[in-house]
Amino acid sequence: MSDTTSQAPSTDNGDPQATALPLTAPQQFKLTLWRRVSLLAYAATLLLSFNWLSWYSPPTEVPRALLLLIIVVPLVLPLRGFLHGRAMSYVAVAMVAMWLFAVGLDIALYEQAWTALGWTLTGCSVVLFVACYFYLRYLPKPPKEPQD
């Protein structure tokens, strides 16, 4: 017995929309909007965190490199996939945004000298998390392969 059904070769090169169904105009608008918001929030969060720890208010009790390693590096690791719009990178950035929310809230509530920067980091991380969530929500899902 031979199988008479043929499948088209996969052209998946890592692009999230390569094998996905076509989007309608409103879906494409929402996807583009949330991608841009997430990129802006990512840039704001990254620049705020880095500048805060290295220039605005460098720590005196703890080595600066240690805080940069704990706060900034987890945000930089998924950068390549995030810039390319890959879903798993957006999930990783959303998890890091939850971590930065907790850090910003802790700093805003318990550090008297850094209250404004803590609230700013908290706000940026909330916007980043929400933007990642909605980007992933409107990202088209690839079609399911038929079961044999």
Side-chain angles (χ1 to χ4, degrees):
M1 294 181 101
S2 66
D3 187 20
T4 58
T5 60
S6 64
Q7 295 180 355
S10 175
T11 59
D12 185 20
N13 58 0
D15 186 16
Q17 285 95 12
T19 59
L21 298 173
L23 295 173
T24 63
Q27 289 173 333
Q28 184 65 40
F29 174 75
K30 290 176 185 177
L31 186 67
T32 305
L33 172 73
W34 288 112
R35 179 168 165 75
R36 288 181 182 168
V37 170
S38 66
L39 288 172
L40 286 173
Y42 182 86
T45 306
L46 182 66
L47 290 174
L48 176 70
S49 302
F50 183 75
N51 286 334
W52 176 15
L53 293 173
S54 61
W55 185 59
Y56 292 144
S57 172
T60 55
E61 303 89 31
V62 181
R64 186 182 311 175
L66 179 65
L67 282 180
L68 286 172
L69 186 69
I70 292 171
I71 295 175
V72 176
V73 170
L75 197 57
V76 174
L77 288 176
L79 178 64
R80 184 170 183 259
F82 189 78
L83 291 176
H84 288 291
R86 296 197 173 97
M88 290 307 294
S89 295
Y90 269 80
V91 171
V93 168
M95 287 187 217
V96 172
M98 288 189 288
W99 159 250
L100 291 175
F101 173 78
V103 168
L105 202 60
D106 178 57
I107 291 169
L109 295 176
Y110 297 114
E111 297 291 332
Q112 297 299 324
W114 299 352
T115 302
L117 288 171
W119 285 117
T120 306
L121 181 62
T122 302
C124 285
S125 63
V126 167
V127 171
L128 179 60
F129 179 81
V130 169
C132 287
Y133 169 78
F134 279 109
Y135 176 78
L136 289 170
R137 182 169 186 233
Y138 293 119
L139 190 67
K141 307 296 183 276
K144 293 189 177 190
E145 295 182 15
Q147 298 288 331
D148 288 335

